[in-house]
Amino acid sequence: MHHRGGRTDFAGRRCDEGQGAVVMLLRGRVSIGTAMLAVAALCSGQAAAEDLALRDAVTMTGTAMFLNSGAPGLVLAVVRGDDSVVQGYGETAPGNKVEPDGRSIIRLGSVSKVFATDLLATLAAEGRVGLTDPLSRYAPAGVAVRSFGGQPFSLLDLATHSAGLPREVRDPSVKDGDGNPFLAYKRDTYWAWIGENTPAYAPGTTAMYSNFGYGLLGEALAKAGGKPYADLLRDKLIAPLRLADTTLRLSDAQRPRLMVGLDPFGKRDPNWEVPEIMYASAGVYSSADDMVRWMHWHLARDEKSAAALSLAHAMWRPHDGLARLVGVEVTGAEGMGLGWIVSPARDGVPLLLGKSGGLGGFMTYVVLSPNRRLGIFVAASRVNFAMFEGLRTAVRQLAAELAPAGP
């Protein structure tokens, strides 16, 4: 496996002259085209011939992504077959002049949801849960989960945002401005709500993005796995895949490597920690190097993981026939997998499983094309939705470049 950390090429040298062109661009001394050509030409001369097309495509796309993003830093990781490339741009914190690389730590935000569904698929393959198990089977003692018209919703409904639940459920006693805003999301509040309120729609009839639903899914997985969610994620995914920096709580040694991002108002985000009830919906920290390992696992067709991955990669809830679609990236997609938005092959772009995230000053996006053994992950240290649309478009264009229709 060829790996490139930061802007280090495959031979371990730095593309310093190319980076210099980018710096000059940011100072207004050269054009975008000049900077991009400098990066591509200087770095490509150092790459092995068999890696040339992959490396050049990633370099050109990554440079354009960063220059267009307005983010202090950006990390791009690409897996194709057995090869991988990781590139970093900008700074790990505004003004510190430290370039991000494969070990820089970022917050995945809602990309954490597909780690939760990896657990769901793994436990289902082991026979420890059924996708159609009702949530009520895993509720705490004394909680009677209410249903719409007597139709209980399942773990699959939670994983596909089709249980008829609201996006968020907050403890109303926690006021805005009381410090960490995530402290308004509490386990007891979640279960109290579901025991007192009926879902808005019959399960499987409406897709509405729900962080609340994923909190309940994480609770069910912990109950089925017989241990806290953090321990389950470690034992089933983090440890087997040797994900060195993927965690739900940073260690003292990791904290200095956490990138600093900008909130929607352009200020440094304080990076508040989330409570345990948010672990499954938005709690994961990781790095580009770890995302490479994770994408390789998804794409390698390992016999030991085949059953779980066949569940994880399937489309379970087609958009066709649903009464409503809210917040689930309808445009260009055809349905929901286990946490994934499924986009059909179209206009040269292969069939993609995609998931986006935004939290703590980061916006993230990951796509997998299992048929082409292709995976792309990008994280930018700025929360801006117009910027994210640019990243999403660039990732899809890169997928088209790296997964041609021919053999």
Side-chain angles (χ1 to χ4, degrees):
M1 179 181 76
H2 297 286
H3 180 78
R4 182 175 177 181
R7 297 170 72 83
T8 305
D9 71 1
F10 296 102
R13 295 185 290 260
R14 299 284 294 180
C15 301
D16 290 326
E17 295 180 54
Q19 168 141 347
V22 172
V23 171
M24 291 178 68
L25 167 64
L26 297 177
R27 293 174 178 170
R29 297 179 184 174
V30 300
S31 69
I32 291 177
T34 298
M36 292 177 67
L37 288 172
V39 173
L42 289 165
C43 296
S44 64
Q46 300 169 345
E50 64 268 26
D51 303 311
L52 187 60
L54 174 63
R55 193 219 43 75
D56 272 4
V58 174
T59 296
M60 296 296 285
T61 297
T63 303
M65 278 181 169
F66 173 63
L67 295 176
N68 291 330
S69 71
L74 183 144
V75 180
L76 176 62
V78 178
V79 168
R80 186 174 66 172
D82 294 330
D83 295 329
S84 66
V85 178
V86 174
Q87 293 185 350
Y89 303 84
E91 300 171 315
T92 59
N96 74 353
K97 297 183 174 57
V98 177
E99 189 179 45
D101 59 21
R103 296 184 67 247
S104 299
I105 295 175
I106 49 89
R107 301 187 76 164
L108 296 186
S110 284
V111 173
S112 304
K113 290 180 174 67
V114 288
F115 279 70
T117 54
D118 284 343
L119 285 181
L120 173 61
T122 298
L123 293 179
E126 294 174 354
R128 301 181 72 174
V129 299
L131 295 183
T132 58
D133 287 352
L135 175 68
S136 56
R137 185 172 299 177
Y138 304 100
V143 175
V145 177
R146 301 186 67 174
S147 61
F148 183 96
Q151 303 176 61
F153 60 87
S154 67
L155 303 188
L156 179 61
D157 294 322
L158 293 173
T160 57
H161 298 288
S162 55
L165 299 178
R167 185 181 183 94
E168 310 283 3
V169 170
R170 301 176 77 255
D171 180 346
S173 70
V174 179
K175 306 301 181 184
D176 292 339
D178 286 350
N180 184 347
F182 301 129
L183 297 181
Y185 304 104
K186 299 180 178 180
R187 179 180 186 272
D188 290 347
T189 303
Y190 276 37
W191 285 113
W193 191 98
I194 205 64
E196 298 167 0
N197 296 272
T198 301
Y201 307 104
T205 64
T206 293
M208 293 196 311
Y209 195 87
S210 180
N211 293 314
F212 168 52
Y214 263 76
L216 296 173
L217 178 61
E219 287 279 291
L221 295 175
K223 183 75 171 289
K227 60 183 66 175
Y229 183 86
D231 295 344
L232 192 65
L233 187 69
R234 179 197 64 217
D235 294 347
K236 294 292 184 181
L237 204 65
I238 293 173
L241 300 186
R242 301 189 301 279
L243 305 181
D245 285 312
T246 300
T247 184
L248 295 162
R249 283 285 185 267
L250 293 177
S251 68
D252 290 341
Q254 288 173 314
R255 288 184 189 281
R257 288 190 283 123
L258 176 65
M259 293 175 65
V260 175
L262 304 181
D263 70 13
F265 306 101
K267 298 180 180 179
R268 286 191 176 211
D269 194 284
N271 266 311
W272 299 108
E273 288 189 338
V274 302
E276 291 184 14
I277 195 64
M278 291 182 64
Y279 280 174
S281 65
V284 179
Y285 298 83
S286 193
S287 67
D289 283 353
D290 276 9
M291 292 302 288
V292 164
R293 295 184 186 96
W294 177 77
M295 289 189 289
H296 269 302
W297 173 69
H298 265 280
L299 301 170
R301 302 169 184 167
D302 180 2
E303 184 176 343
K304 293 186 297 183
S305 303
L309 294 178
S310 67
L311 299 175
H313 296 166
M315 185 173 73
W316 292 96
R317 193 73 72 197
H319 287 163
D320 182 53
L322 296 182
R324 301 163 194 82
L325 295 155
V326 181
V328 290
E329 300 179 31
V330 178
T331 304
E334 64 179 358
M336 284 290 307
L338 296 185
W340 296 100
I341 300 291
V342 182
S343 301
R346 182 182 294 135
D347 300 327
V349 180
L351 185 148
L352 294 176
L353 310 176
K355 187 71 194 81
S356 60
L359 188 80
F362 295 94
M363 298 206 83
T364 56
Y365 187 48
V366 62
V367 298
L368 298 176
S369 179
N371 294 340
R372 310 298 182 90
R373 294 190 66 200
L374 174 68
I376 304 171
F377 169 76
V378 62
S381 55
R382 176 191 178 205
V383 174
N384 180 284
F385 291 95
M387 174 203 73
F388 174 76
E389 282 306 308
L391 295 181
R392 180 178 180 275
T393 299
V395 165
R396 294 177 65 82
Q397 291 173 343
L398 181 59
E401 287 187 50
L402 298 179

